[in-house]
């Protein structure tokens, strides 16, 4: 059998290779993720390239001290939140992957960035494999400004993309999306694991060799990871996720990997009728519509990367009908809610077992930090007692299974943000040491807080 029509089976999750189909990947243990993949002529492009590279005389290695320490150049888009998440702007020669669910605004974000870069004199190419030039034009019309100046290339073949980018001397190349691209060197349809990986690897080499920054749009699967092999995230220098509830206008851009900056930094945007606008003051924006007189509303401070953000939590508890009471959590893990309800029931004597409980985090944000536990607990206590919490109180602290309130890191920065927004007291663990300007109300146990809020 000639090698040209050989096929392999590859896990779409971890990229492990098998000579025949298996139901469960031995590499990562996932079921039904192994799919057939045709490999290219002569054993694939990678094999051919590596054979070639063995022949090339290697450059003599130099000592680290002789490496020129060029300060990292960056192109700023002026879209502040985007530049901030990248660590100061787009790095020449880098490969950035922007993942997110359909309709969240990836194309809008990258078209806006392209327009700003083009305007700043950085030649930019926007490659659209998903939408026609007319469709992208319609989006550009909504965005207005310089978006019309962006050069658009409706193309899906990676060789053609590279050739065009090189021909026009593009310094920034946006590929929307990596799942639509394919390379001639491999058989198999676009979107197939091998194609996605090979195209990303090729574009990475293109970025490194040409010095252009390449930004790839990547779709996410239902599980929330970028579709295609996990190796895609390993290849990229920077991996960003664009998240949010499509029913809300706020969007959060989060760096989960960044070779040129810190991870876990977030940028907040608002989707408006004319594109995305950076939200420079997220806390104030999230708290803007808050009704402090309504029971069940409490504010907590979470750290998003190095930035503190104040977020409102709303809880509602109502008598349930027959059957199992409902627990609905939006923006919060429902298992975390179940734990906190159990702790309140058992350690503070509050009764939730015949109540339907709804918890909502406003602005479409997600609470992941345990420090927000005390905020959820305060909202729940307030809801069940039907008494509003003091309007200028902030709640930070992790709640343990014994009902104890545990200390939280980065308190100074959370205090500073709370003070800036006019909060007058912070409920926090009795074990926290803090020298903030706002008076702190130490809480040792959730039962103390429940009593305090009921009084
Ligand atoms: P889009 O960038 O196409 O999302 P993605 O590329 O992630 O699939 O944006 C999708 C949504 O954004 C769409 O529902 C329309 C909305 N939108 C606005 O609200 N305002 C705008 O100015 C633009 C361009 C889009
Ligand atoms: Mg899109």
């Amino acid at each position: 059998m000639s090698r040209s029509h050989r096929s392999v089976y590859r896990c779409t999750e971890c990229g492990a290779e098998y000579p025949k189909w298996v139901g469960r990947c031995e590499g990562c243990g996932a079921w039904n993720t192994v799919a057939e993949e045709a490999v290219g002529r002569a054993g694939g492009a990678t094999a051919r390239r590596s054979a070639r590279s063995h022949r090339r005389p290697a450059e003599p290695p130099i000592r680290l001290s002789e490496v020129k320490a060029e300060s990292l150049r960056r192109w700023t888009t002026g879209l502040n939140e985007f530049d901030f998440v990248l660590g100061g702007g787009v790095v020449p020669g880098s490969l950035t992957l922007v993942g997110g669910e359909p309709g969240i605004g990836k194309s809008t974000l990258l078209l806006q960035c392209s327009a700003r870069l083009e305007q700043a004199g950085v030649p930019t190419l926007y490659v659209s494999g998903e939408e026609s030039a007319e469709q992208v034009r319609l989006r550009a019309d909504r965005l207005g400004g310089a978006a019309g100046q962006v050069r658009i290339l409706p193309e899906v073949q990676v060789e053609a993309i590279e050739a065009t980018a090189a021909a026009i001397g593009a310094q920034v190349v946006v590929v929307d999306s990596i799942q639509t691209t394919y390379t001639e060197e491999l058989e198999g349809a676009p979107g197939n694991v091998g194609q996605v990986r090979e195209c990303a690897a090729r574009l990475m080499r293109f970025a490194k060799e040409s010095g252009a920054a390449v930004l790839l749009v990547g779709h996410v699967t239902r599980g929330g990871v970028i579709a295609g092999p996990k190796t895609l995230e390993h290849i990229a220098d920077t991996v960003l996720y664009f998240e949010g509830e499509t029913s809300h206008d706020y969007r959060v851009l989060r760096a989960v990997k960044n070779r040129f900056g810190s991870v876990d930094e977030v940028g907040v945007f608002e989707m408006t009728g004319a594109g995305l606008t950076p939200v420079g003051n997220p806390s104030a924006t999230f708290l803007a519509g808050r009704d402090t007189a309504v029971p069940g509303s409490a504010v907590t401070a979470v750290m998003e990367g190095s930035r503190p953000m104040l977020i409102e939590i709303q809880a509602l508890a109502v008598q349930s009908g027959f059957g199992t009471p409902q627990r609905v959590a939006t923006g919060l893990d429902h298992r975390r809610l179940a734990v906190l309800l159990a702790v309140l029931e058992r350690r503070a004597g509050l009764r939730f077992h015949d109540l339907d409980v709804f918890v909502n985090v406003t602005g479409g944000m997600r609470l992941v930090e345990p420090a927000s536990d005390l905020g959820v607990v305060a909202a729940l206590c307030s809801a069940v007692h039907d008494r509003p919490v003091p309007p200028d109180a902030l709640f930070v602290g992790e709640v343990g299974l014994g009902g104890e309130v545990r200390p939280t890191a980065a308190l100074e920065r959370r205090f500073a943000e709370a003070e800036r927004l006019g909060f007058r007291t912070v409920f926090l663990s009795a074990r926290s040491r803090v020298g903030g300007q706002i008076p702190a109300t130490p809480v040792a146990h959730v039962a103390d807080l429940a009593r305090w809020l009921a009084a």
Side-chain angles (χ1 to χ4, degrees):
M1 192 177 89
S2 87
R3 292 196 67 183
S4 60
H5 297 296
R6 190 173 67 104
S7 43
V8 296
Y9 292 82
R10 195 183 299 281
C11 172
T12 52
E13 294 288 322
C14 69
E17 197 179 297
Y18 299 93
K20 61 181 176 52
W21 187 83
V22 290
R24 185 179 191 208
C25 173
E26 283 166 25
C28 63
W31 287 94
N32 280 332
T33 55
V34 176
E36 184 176 8
E37 176 184 307
V39 291
R41 302 147 209 144
T46 319
R48 201 163 50 212
R49 240 184 326 274
S50 62
R52 202 194 307 141
S53 61
H54 281 307
R55 267 181 266 124
R56 203 192 306 152
E59 292 206 356
I62 57 168
R63 294 191 193 282
L64 279 172
S65 59
E66 293 160 12
V67 176
K68 278 200 261 344
E70 266 185 283
S71 67
L72 207 56
R73 223 162 29 101
R74 291 176 189 267
W75 293 306
T76 49
T77 63
L79 209 57
N80 295 338
E81 297 285 294
F82 183 78
D83 293 340
F84 170 74
V85 173
L86 283 179
V90 182
V91 177
S94 68
L95 183 77
T96 305
L97 187 60
V98 181
E101 287 177 10
I104 206 72
K106 302 178 293 297
S107 304
T108 307
L109 178 70
L110 292 177
L111 187 58
Q112 279 182 263
C113 291
S114 305
R116 284 162 169 271
L117 288 164
E118 186 70 45
Q119 199 172 26
V122 182
T124 303
L125 179 65
Y126 189 99
V127 182
S128 179
E130 305 210 324
E131 295 165 305
S132 65
E134 292 76 21
Q135 284 171 305
V136 182
R137 160 81 202 258
L138 289 178
R139 183 175 295 118
D141 288 345
R142 284 185 80 168
L143 301 176
Q149 294 307 307
V150 174
R151 269 167 293 188
I152 169 97
L153 176 70
E155 178 59 72
V156 288
Q157 197 209 48
V158 77
E159 287 79 10
I161 295 171
E162 288 181 5
T164 311
I168 67 164
Q171 300 282 282
V172 174
V173 182
V174 174
V175 179
D176 187 0
S177 67
I178 188 65
Q179 277 90 9
T180 57
T181 57
Y182 79 97
T183 165
E184 282 188 322
E185 298 199 20
L186 287 187
E187 289 166 8
N192 139 334
V193 188
Q195 283 285 4
V196 168
R197 197 188 31 200
E198 183 63 22
C199 289
R202 275 199 71 125
L203 289 164
M204 177 67 162
R205 272 193 305 279
F206 174 77
K208 297 288 171 246
E209 284 164 18
S210 69
V214 177
L215 296 126
L216 305 178
V217 171
H219 289 292
V220 299
T221 61
R222 256 182 307 141
V225 295
I226 292 173
K230 199 75 188 147
T231 41
L232 209 54
E233 292 196 12
H234 297 310
I235 294 173
D237 294 308
T238 304
V239 179
L240 309 178
Y241 275 91
F242 206 31
E243 314 166 335
E245 305 276 335
T246 20
S247 51
H248 283 79
D249 291 335
Y250 297 113
R251 302 280 182 272
V252 175
L253 186 68
R254 194 181 293 279
V256 296
K257 169 180 177 182
N258 194 351
R259 290 202 178 121
F260 311 110
S262 57
V263 286
D264 287 331
E265 290 295 2
V266 304
V268 183
F269 295 88
E270 186 178 357
M271 182 62 95
T272 69
L276 293 152
T277 320
V279 176
N281 192 347
S283 300
T285 312
F286 293 147
L287 298 184
R290 181 172 174 234
D291 185 348
T292 51
V294 175
S297 157
V299 178
T300 190
V302 297
M303 292 303 293
E304 290 287 7
S306 58
R307 291 200 295 187
M309 277 184 205
L310 303 194
I311 292 179
E312 182 192 356
I313 301 157
Q314 295 180 327
L316 188 65
V318 290
Q319 198 67 42
S320 54
F322 293 106
T324 319
Q326 293 194 64
R327 270 87 180 91
V328 181
T330 312
L332 170 74
D333 182 17
H334 66 275
R335 282 165 302 192
R336 194 68 204 151
L337 175 61
V339 168
L340 294 174
L341 286 172
V343 168
L344 280 177
E345 182 121 19
R346 186 90 175 126
R347 310 289 180 203
L350 298 184
R351 295 168 72 87
F352 287 102
H353 64 263
D354 53 354
L355 298 177
D356 288 338
V357 176
F358 306 93
V359 175
N360 188 14
V361 177
T362 60
M365 294 294 289
R366 262 201 90 71
L367 297 180
V368 282
E369 230 194 343
S372 58
D373 285 351
L374 204 61
V376 179
V377 163
L380 290 169
C381 292
S382 165
V384 77
H385 294 317
D386 207 26
R387 296 177 78 99
V389 305
D392 51 5
L394 183 77
F395 300 86
V396 266
E398 180 182 347
V399 172
L401 292 186
E404 77 280 13
V405 181
R406 304 225 182 103
T408 303
L411 267 180
E412 280 73 17
R413 270 176 283 168
R414 297 181 216 243
F415 263 69
E417 182 76 349
E419 194 185 4
R420 199 171 68 77
L421 283 140
F423 282 78
R424 299 266 53 93
T425 183
V426 180
F427 287 77
L428 77 182
S429 166
R431 287 192 279 137
S432 295
R433 259 167 293 127
V434 64
Q437 289 81 351
I438 324 175
T441 309
V443 183
H445 195 275
V446 289
D448 303 338
L449 181 68
R451 260 195 307 278
W452 200 96
L453 291 175

